[in-house]
């Protein structure tokens, strides 16, 4: 698999999120700026954000930081990357125009640099009538030339197929679908179906949380460094049940003089999806960039698939994910 075929993007959920990630505002921002520029200079070609990234008074903080950083970014280089954000279909964002205000606010925070808008999750399980309306609203913004690309997230294969066709009837393409996919997600037929729909229709398949929030980067004989209470709980549950998988990852990593993070990212790529990795510092950016320089062999991929299928613990799924 060549570097050109499937790239790597990076996500910014942590950038402003105190609860899950312990973000400390200004102290972190200087580091994040360097992370951002290093990542793009190194070839990570998609930046993922969301209007809900940033907790409490920091609502929208991730988009704000990206917008600020982009002010110093050469415009000619901007054409080579995708700046993607997600709009949350909160229950008070109702009907065809329900996301208009949110779009305007995100666009303002991103200083007009938005390439792609994604519907953050499917409302199909609790307000099925909303999903098509909200998406049609994004279609209206597209037709007015206000947004360039549209994507979905946390939408299963049935709805993806349905919504893709509906938008196609309007002459609008769904450019991407973003789902959780990693060595720690439970293997499912849905994953395969999504992969096939994406391949058939040239939809970009984006894999979020490819490192299982960092669990997959922890060597089999090591304990995690201090982290937030919420992440600690998850780590404590999953780590003891993933030792064999992480041993295998560690062995493969050694063969390529790489890191376990790189093995996790390249496993995602070997499944036809583009990982969006959550990076928080320049060394994590550098590590992700290095993953672009090599790929897993078929037998390494299959061995990892096998250990994944035997794994006794999995990452929790987004409960809103539609069929
Ligand atoms: N569509 C959705 O509903 C949805 C949901 C979740 C995430 N996402 C997107 O996907 C992105 C990535 O997912 P994620 O941030 O949840 O999880 P992730 O990429 O699986 O894990 C990110 C964490 O892994 C650790 N890490 C990153 N690079 C590393 C390296 N080279 N070596 C060691 N540790 C490393 C960092 O932990 P430390 O912080 O401890 O350094 C980082 O915070 C998000 O930022 C977001 O854009 C989308």
């Amino acid at each position: 698999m060549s570097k050109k075929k499937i790239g790597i993007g990076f996500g910014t959920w942590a950038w402003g999120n105190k609860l899950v990630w312990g973000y400390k505002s200004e102290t972190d921002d200087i580091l994040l700026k360097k992370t951002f520029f290093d990542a793009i200079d190194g070839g990570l070609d998609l930046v993922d954000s969301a209007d809900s990234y940033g907790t409490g008074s920091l609502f929208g903080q991730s988009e704000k930081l990206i917008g600020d950083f982009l002010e110093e970014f050469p415009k000619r280089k901007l054409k080579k990357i995708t700046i993607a954000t997600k709009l949350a279909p909160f229950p008070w964002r109702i009907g065809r125009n329900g996301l208009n205000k949110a779009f305007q606010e995100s666009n303002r925070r991103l200083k007009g640099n938005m390439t792609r808008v994604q519907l953050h999750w499917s409302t199909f399980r609790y307000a099925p009538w909303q999903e098509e309306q909200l998406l049609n609203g994004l279609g209206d913004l597209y037709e007015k030339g206000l947004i360039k690309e549209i994507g979905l997230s946390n939408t299963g294969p049935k709805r993806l197929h349905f919504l893709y066709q509906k938008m196609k009837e309007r002459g609008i393409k769904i450019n991407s679908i973003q789902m959780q996919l990693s060595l720690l997600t439970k293997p499912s037929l849905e994953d395969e179906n999504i992969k096939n729909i994406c391949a058939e229709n040239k939809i970009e398949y984006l894999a979020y949380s490819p490192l299982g929030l960092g669990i997959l980067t922890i060597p089999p004989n090591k304990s995690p460094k201090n982290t937030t209470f919420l992440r600690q709980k998850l780590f404590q549950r999953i780590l003891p049940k993933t030792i064999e998988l992480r041993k295998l990852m560690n062995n493969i990593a050694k063969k390529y003089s790489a890191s376990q993070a790189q093995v996790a990212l390249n496993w995602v790529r070997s499944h036809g999806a583009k990982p969006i990795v959550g990076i928080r510092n320049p060394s994590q950016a550098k590590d992700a960039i290095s993953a672009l320089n090599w790929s897993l062999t078929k037998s390494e991929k299959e061995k990892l698939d096998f250990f994944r299928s035997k794994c006794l613990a999995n990452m929790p799924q987004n409960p809103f994910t539609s069929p």
Side-chain angles (χ1 to χ4, degrees):
M1 184 185 51
S2 77
K3 181 171 167 172
K4 278 192 193 109
K5 206 170 165 200
I6 297 178
I8 296 178
F10 65 102
T12 59
W13 180 27
W15 299 14
N17 194 318
K18 280 186 185 165
L19 281 178
V20 185
W21 307 93
Y23 170 81
K24 288 187 228 58
S25 200
E26 281 94 19
T27 48
D28 283 352
D29 295 351
I30 298 159
L31 203 65
L32 292 179
K33 188 171 176 180
K34 180 159 168 49
T35 308
F36 182 85
F37 280 92
D38 285 2
I40 293 174
D41 280 344
L44 306 193
D45 58 0
L46 183 145
V47 188
D48 181 64
S49 185
D51 62 352
S52 57
Y53 289 174
T55 31
S57 60
L58 291 167
F59 186 86
Q61 177 74 358
S62 146
E63 291 179 335
K64 187 182 170 303
L65 287 173
I66 295 169
D68 290 348
F69 300 161
L70 284 172
E71 282 206 304
E72 293 175 37
F73 196 74
K75 289 278 172 257
R76 67 191 153 77
K77 281 200 197 167
L78 251 179
K79 285 193 190 112
K80 295 190 185 146
I81 55 170
T82 301
I83 308 289
T85 198
K86 299 186 285 300
L87 300 181
F90 292 130
W92 54 89
R93 293 177 171 172
I94 298 165
R96 195 158 173 148
N97 296 323
L99 291 172
N100 284 4
K101 190 163 174 275
F103 162 74
Q104 280 161 13
E105 285 168 3
S106 286
N107 204 28
R108 178 181 49 78
R109 285 190 288 264
L110 288 166
K111 307 214 162 72
N113 289 302
M114 191 193 293
T115 321
R116 185 179 301 168
V117 176
Q118 307 154 104
L119 193 59
H120 201 148
W121 61 82
S122 169
T123 65
F124 186 73
R125 290 197 189 273
Y126 60 95
W129 56 90
Q130 281 295 343
E131 187 177 47
E132 220 182 308
Q133 293 218 48
L134 292 170
L135 192 60
N136 270 323
L138 295 184
D140 296 341
L141 297 173
Y142 172 85
E143 282 174 344
K144 285 180 193 153
L146 295 172
I147 55 181
K148 296 189 184 95
E149 295 178 1
I150 296 177
L152 295 173
S153 175
N154 298 307
T155 304
K158 282 194 185 137
R159 293 306 293 170
L160 170 63
H161 183 258
F162 174 82
L163 295 169
Y164 180 84
Q165 292 304 331
K166 278 279 166 193
M167 294 305 270
K168 195 175 166 191
E169 283 164 21
R170 281 184 71 180
I172 300 173
K173 184 170 166 59
I174 298 289
N175 291 87
S176 63
I177 171 83
Q178 191 178 134
M179 301 295 281
Q180 185 180 188
L181 179 70
S182 78
L183 279 160
L184 284 181
T185 53
K186 206 176 168 60
S188 73
L189 191 59
E190 276 79 18
D191 285 351
E192 285 308 305
N193 291 341
I194 286 184
K195 192 159 119 182
N196 293 336
I197 296 170
C198 286
E200 257 168 49
N201 300 292
K202 296 199 168 55
I203 302 169
E204 192 172 30
Y205 187 7
L206 302 174
Y208 72 73
S209 303
L211 307 179
L213 265 62
I215 292 171
L216 290 168
T217 69
I218 299 168
N221 53 353
K222 290 233 170 96
S223 306
K225 56 186 174 185
N226 283 343
T227 182
T228 55
F229 176 76
L230 286 174
R231 270 173 96 194
Q232 231 169 41
K233 286 275 148 219
L234 185 75
F235 282 26
Q236 276 165 4
R237 181 171 69 78
I238 293 186
L239 274 169
K241 296 180 175 160
T242 57
I243 295 173
E244 292 309 314
L245 171 67
R246 288 181 292 117
K247 266 188 195 161
L248 173 63
M249 293 176 74
N250 199 269
N251 285 337
I252 296 173
K254 278 187 185 138
K255 178 183 154 192
Y256 292 99
S257 304
S259 64
Q260 276 177 223
Q262 291 181 44
V263 175
L265 296 176
N266 278 336
W267 176 84
V268 168
R269 294 170 84 213
S270 75
H271 278 263
K274 176 174 189 150
I276 320 170
V277 57
I279 48 173
R280 301 220 291 165
N281 58 51
S283 83
Q284 291 177 351
K286 193 173 171 200
D287 200 17
I289 292 159
S290 300
L292 288 165
N293 296 328
W294 64 277
S295 44
L296 294 166
T297 63
K298 188 166 174 281
S299 86
E300 285 161 352
K301 172 190 175 284
E302 284 168 1
K303 220 166 167 187
L304 285 164
D305 285 347
F306 179 74
F307 274 65
R308 177 192 186 217
S309 71
K310 297 281 167 221
C311 214
L312 295 171
N314 297 110
M315 292 294 287
Q317 263 271 16
N318 180 310
F320 300 138
T321 304
S322 68

